[in-house]
């Protein structure tokens, strides 16, 4: 196995590839974590959670447990990221600990399935959210044959944000800072509106939903919903090669970002429950919209819908930004097609990787109308690699006990072990709950094996 990429290899015949420039500061790193995590989840999952557990106290317990598990994962990744602050994040840690094949399969899964499906899901979700407004009702009308305007709109947004990232990560990072700040302000305004309303009642926190799923099964459903809402904290590690002072900024952003997100999530959930009883929360697909409708009528509902659209837009920027770095890093290690290691001479971005990612996302947007099923295919693989990546902290502690570790995960080995066991539980729950999708997801991962063997012979023997 060739060594993990502290310094990447020469890929083309006479072309020496260079590293991406470190231009992201602490505020950029924090905004990537917070802005990528906070999408539409907080506005939607309270309904699913209430249907699952049936009481305010258990909903909050799920939020707390989900937040702590995500924090344990972020703390584990913070040690790995500060130790190996290179482009690709999880790919780098897995390859260094378990070899080229494991690193390649991770890259292949994210490149071929998870990231394009995620981008497609986010952009189509943005189109559906904007469809709430009368001015955007045309999005659900046919454009060309069976293709809807919403699909073309989603493709346009994909290329717009890809173009922003093509122009350099500093511009994309500045965008992330500004609009993540605006997103947080909008969430605080929603919380403030709800708690200042005379229509709210603390008694709503004591209401319950008798027909909830209940039991351990119900709690696991609610917990997985919170983990979905918290998802995205790992994306920062994928752009670690472009973060200044990564030994300080990576742990600060990963851990601090989880605390900020947790506070905003808990506050939003409390605001919704202050306005709506348990039965109404469970009955509405958009609890935050329903709560603001009670407080401020149609204008309030429109405000929340606009906040949801902004949240999704900022999440998309973080998703596109991080996804492109994985095949880029693999290509620099001669584990993928050399063109993916291209750095634009002017904008210093992984230009080919960004363009191909947008093409794959666009194909999905044209080929499929709904993405939930496809996105579920990636859930099994996602938690599989979360679990595997977290185990690498034990490998590196044993194999390289004296290596420089600017940040050491607090509570080692207990907290990483708790995260690994929890990830295994989520993995099992995902597999049992969607066995067909999980098996297909596993099959898609294994499809990378023959490609790996071909690429290894083609490029590493050259």
């Amino acid at each position: 196995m060739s060594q993990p990429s502290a310094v990447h290899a020469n890929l083309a015949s006479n072309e020496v590839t260079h590293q991406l420039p470190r231009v992201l500061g602490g505020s950029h790193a924090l905004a990537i974590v917070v802005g990528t995590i906070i999408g539409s989840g907080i506005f939607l999952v309270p309904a699913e959670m209430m249907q699952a557990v049936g009481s305010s106290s258990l909903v909050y317990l799920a939020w707390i447990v989900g937040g702590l598990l995500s924090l344990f994962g972020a703390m584990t990744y913070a040690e790995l990221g500060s130790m190996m602050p290179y482009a690709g994040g999880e790919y780098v840690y897995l390859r260094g600990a378990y070899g080229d094949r494991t690193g390649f399969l991770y890259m292949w899964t994210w490149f071929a399935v998870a990231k394009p499906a995620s981008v497609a899901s986010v952009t189509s979700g943005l189109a559906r959210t904007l469809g709430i407004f009368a001015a955007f009702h045309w999005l659900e009308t046919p454009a060309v044959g069976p293709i809807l305007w919403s699909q073309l709109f989603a493709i346009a947004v994909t290329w717009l944000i890809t173009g922003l990232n093509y122009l350099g990560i500093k511009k994309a990072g500045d965008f992330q800072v500004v609009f993540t700040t605006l997103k947080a302000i909008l969430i605080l305004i929603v919380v403030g509106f709800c708690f200042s309303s005379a229509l709210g009642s603390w008694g709503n926190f004591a209401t319950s939903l008798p027909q909830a799923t209940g039991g351990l099964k119900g709690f696991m459903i609610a917990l997985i919903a919170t983990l979905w809402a918290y998802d995205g904290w790992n994306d920062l590690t994928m752009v670690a090669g472009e973060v200044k002072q990564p030994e300080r900024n990576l742990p600060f952003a990963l851990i601090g970002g989880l605390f900020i997100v947790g506070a905003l999530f808990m506050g939003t959930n409390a605001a919704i429950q202050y306005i709506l009883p348990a039965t109404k929360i469970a009955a509405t697909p958009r609890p935050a919209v329903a709560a603001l409708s009670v407080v401020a009528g149609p204008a309030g509902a429109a405000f929340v819908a606009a906040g949801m659209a902004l949240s999704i837009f900022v999440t998309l920027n973080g998703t596109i930004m991080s996804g492109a770095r994985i095949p880029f890093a693999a290509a620099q290690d001669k584990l993928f097609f050399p063109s993916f290691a291209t750095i634009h001479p002017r904008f210093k971005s992984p230009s080919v990787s960004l363009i191909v990612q947008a093409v794959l996302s666009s194909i999905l947007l044209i080929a499929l109308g709904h993405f939930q099923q496809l996105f579920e295919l990636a859930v099994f693989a996602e938690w599989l690699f979360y679990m595997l990546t977290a185990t690498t902290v034990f490998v590196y502690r044993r194999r390289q006990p004296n290596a420089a570790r600017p940040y050491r995960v607090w509570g080692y080995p207990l907290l990483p072990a708790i995260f690994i066991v929890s990830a295994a539980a989520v993995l099992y729950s995902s597999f049992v709950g969607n066995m067909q999708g999980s098996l297909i997801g596993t099959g898609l991962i294994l499809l990378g094996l023959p490609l790996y063997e071909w690429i290894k012979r083609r490029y590493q023997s050259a």
Side-chain angles (χ1 to χ4, degrees), residues 190-213:
V190 169
V191 173
F193 262 123
C194 290
F195 278 115
S196 64
S197 173
L199 299 174
S201 171
W202 293 107
N204 287 334
F205 288 87
T207 60
S208 62
L209 184 72
Q211 66 271 31
T213 304

Side-chain angles (χ1 to χ4, degrees), residues 144-158:
V144 181
I147 299 174
L148 302 178
W149 279 111
S150 60
Q151 291 169 273
L152 298 181
F153 173 83
I155 290 172
V157 172
T158 297

Side-chain angles (χ1 to χ4, degrees), residues 111-459:
F111 166 76
V113 183
K115 280 297 181 180
S118 180
V119 171
S121 298
V122 170
T123 51
S124 61
L126 175 62
R128 286 194 296 270
T129 300
L130 290 175
I132 296 172
F133 299 99
F136 288 95
H137 284 174
W138 55 271
L139 286 172
E140 294 308 315
T141 60
V144 181
I147 299 174
L148 302 178
W149 279 111
S150 60
Q151 291 169 273
L152 298 181
F153 173 83
I155 290 172
V157 172
T158 297
W159 283 97
L160 174 66
I161 299 300
T162 297
L164 174 65
N165 280 270
Y166 189 94
L167 295 176
I169 198 171
K170 181 62 165 59
K171 289 182 173 62
D174 290 342
F175 173 93
Q176 193 80 358
V177 169
V178 171
F179 285 95
T180 296
T181 303
L182 180 57
K183 179 195 296 193
I185 291 171
L186 289 176
I187 290 174
L188 292 174
I189 290 173
V190 169
V191 173
F193 262 123
C194 290
F195 278 115
S196 64
S197 173
L199 299 174
S201 171
W202 293 107
N204 287 334
F205 288 87
T207 60
S208 62
L209 184 72
Q211 66 271 31
T213 304
L216 180 60
K217 179 181 179 182
F219 186 77
M220 284 302 297
I221 292 172
L223 179 59
I224 290 173
T226 67
L227 292 173
W228 176 73
Y230 278 109
D231 198 32
W233 49 265
N234 61 311
D235 281 16
L236 175 64
T237 64
M238 301 173 193
V239 299
E242 293 151 279
V243 176
K244 293 184 287 188
Q245 295 182 288
E247 69 283 353
R248 179 179 67 88
N249 287 329
L250 286 175
F252 161 75
L254 283 166
I255 298 170
L258 258 299
F259 276 106
I260 292 172
V261 170
L264 293 173
F265 279 3
M266 298 285 278
T268 304
N269 196 82
I272 292 169
Q273 292 191 342
Y274 181 69
I275 299 298
L276 302 176
T279 52
K280 288 190 176 180
I281 292 174
T284 176
R286 299 183 183 92
V289 174
L292 259 289
S293 295
V294 172
V295 173
F303 182 83
V304 175
M308 288 174 63
L310 178 66
S311 291
I312 295 169
F313 205 62
V314 181
T315 296
L316 177 64
N317 184 52
T319 301
I320 288 175
M321 179 192 301
S322 59
R325 270 66 188 174
I326 302 170
F328 166 82
Q332 287 208 316
D333 291 327
K334 295 187 177 182
L335 281 178
F336 206 43
F337 302 107
S339 58
F340 281 82
T342 301
I343 297 177
H344 193 281
R346 177 181 174 187
F347 302 123
K348 305 302 179 184
S349 62
S351 49
V352 173
S353 189
L354 282 164
I355 290 171
V356 174
Q357 178 177 257
V359 169
L360 292 175
S361 301
S362 299
I363 290 171
L364 291 180
L365 283 160
I366 287 293
L368 301 169
H370 300 285
F371 297 93
Q372 187 60 35
Q373 199 171 26
L374 180 59
F375 193 69
E376 286 175 355
L377 299 182
V379 170
F380 178 80
E382 185 173 289
W383 280 95
L384 171 63
F385 285 117
Y386 279 173
M387 181 180 69
L388 284 177
T389 302
T391 65
T392 66
V393 75
F394 295 95
V395 175
Y396 289 115
R397 285 282 188 113
R398 185 185 72 252
R399 191 183 294 170
Q400 302 175 30
N402 299 319
R405 289 177 172 84
Y407 172 83
R408 288 175 175 263
V409 56
W410 181 84
Y412 179 90
L414 181 60
L415 296 192
I418 291 174
F419 178 78
I420 292 165
V421 171
S422 302
V426 173
L427 196 62
Y428 173 78
S429 179
S430 170
F431 188 87
V432 172
N434 184 22
M435 188 169 294
Q436 181 182 6
S438 298
L439 289 172
I440 294 173
T442 304
L444 289 171
I445 296 174
L446 296 178
L447 278 177
L449 286 174
L451 180 60
Y452 164 77
E453 297 299 335
W454 182 84
I455 285 178
K456 191 175 180 67
R457 288 196 304 271
R458 173 69 175 84
Y459 298 116

